[in-house]
Amino acid sequence: MQTNTFIDRREGGRALAESLLPLSSWPDLVVLALPRGGVPVAFEVARALGAPLDVCVVRKLGVPGHEELAMGAIASGGVEMINPRTVRELQITPDEIRRVIDGERRELERRELAYRDGRPPADVRGKTVIVVDDGLATGASMTAAVTALRQREPKSIVVATPVASSSACASLRRIADACVCVLSPEPFYGVGMWYADFEQTTDDEVRALLAASRTPGPAGSPANAALTV
């Protein structure tokens, strides 16, 4: 079994940035990360491309009792995505779905407040947006993110990740303008299998990386500052 292709999310981000370098000359680039795990990856992408970094807050909707399994996702702007096949096969009731949505909506709002520190979301109207996560298994969270972003009228949306299942890539290519993936292994196993270090990214790390991305300085200094978390 081949695993641990990337040392950690930061290395995954550097590998992804190499694949995205042709976009560095494009005007009006914005990099958006799906927190929390997507932020260390997106930090490296934004730094390599010289683009601003912000977050696009999305929450997976876990199946009650099996929260690691996604039955959908929600995103800022009131976007709710439900997988009817999963709901039907697992006989999940409307009340159960609503309880999960309500709980995740509270966490989404908490993260919006925690990460933005009073700043408004990045203006993406008419711009090319690169939406980054640390990996895509089902693609449910990224689908919700793309759906939410379309409401903000960007010029184009590029989904980007170091590793993804082939089915997630195929699905996202149908709704995004492009999908860039460094690695699409079969069998997929799971996102965490492809990182040697897949410890959960903390809120403090997210805030530190976002702050570092806004701090001008010589090459390398933002990354070093963020590592002090």
Side-chain angles (χ1 to χ4, degrees):
M1 180 187 299
Q2 180 189 4
T3 57
N4 300 341
T5 297
F6 306 113
I7 295 172
D8 55 17
R9 291 178 177 88
R10 299 285 288 270
E11 186 187 55
R14 289 188 286 272
L16 180 59
E18 290 185 13
S19 298
L20 293 167
L21 279 178
L23 299 182
S24 62
S25 62
W26 290 24
D28 296 327
L29 276 180
V30 176
V31 176
L32 298 183
L34 270 58
R36 291 183 288 220
V39 176
V41 181
F43 177 85
E44 298 293 342
V45 171
R47 185 172 65 155
L49 301 183
L53 174 65
D54 196 8
V55 291
C56 178
V57 184
V58 178
R59 294 294 295 167
K60 180 181 76 173
L61 300 175
V63 172
H66 302 277
E67 283 72 18
E68 73 284 353
L69 176 62
M71 64 176 177
I74 61 172
S76 302
V79 173
E80 297 180 359
M81 307 287 296
I82 300 294
N83 185 327
R85 180 178 177 180
T86 300
V87 169
R88 182 175 61 253
E89 290 181 350
L90 298 180
Q91 299 181 343
I92 304 168
T93 68
D95 285 345
E96 289 176 318
I97 294 172
R98 181 46 53 188
R99 280 197 294 272
V100 173
I101 289 176
D102 289 346
E104 294 299 343
R105 181 67 63 187
R106 288 192 292 272
E107 176 62 12
L108 185 149
E109 292 170 353
R110 183 196 71 79
R111 292 191 180 196
E112 286 274 8
L113 290 172
Y115 302 156
R116 296 201 183 283
D117 194 25
R119 294 181 305 276
D123 180 13
V124 301
R125 185 186 297 270
K127 299 179 181 180
T128 297
V129 181
I130 303 174
V131 194
V132 178
D133 203 359
D134 55 6
L136 304 173
T138 66
S141 296
M142 185 62 79
T143 297
V146 172
T147 302
L149 285 168
R150 288 293 185 199
Q151 300 175 2
R152 295 163 61 184
E153 300 181 354
K155 179 181 179 181
S156 58
I157 297 176
V158 178
V159 169
T161 184
V163 60
S165 67
S166 58
S167 59
C169 287
S171 175
L172 285 158
R173 286 191 178 104
R174 290 193 288 269
I175 65 169
D177 297 286
C179 181
V180 178
C181 180
V182 177
L183 183 68
S184 185
E186 290 294 344
F188 181 67
Y189 299 119
V191 174
M193 298 293 290
W194 306 99
Y195 290 89
D197 177 0
F198 199 63
E199 289 295 316
Q200 186 178 74
T201 305
T202 66
D203 283 347
D204 285 344
E205 184 178 2
V206 169
R207 286 190 286 264
L209 288 168
L210 291 174
S213 73
R214 299 190 298 272
T215 303
S221 58
N224 292 336
L227 286 173
T228 62
V229 174

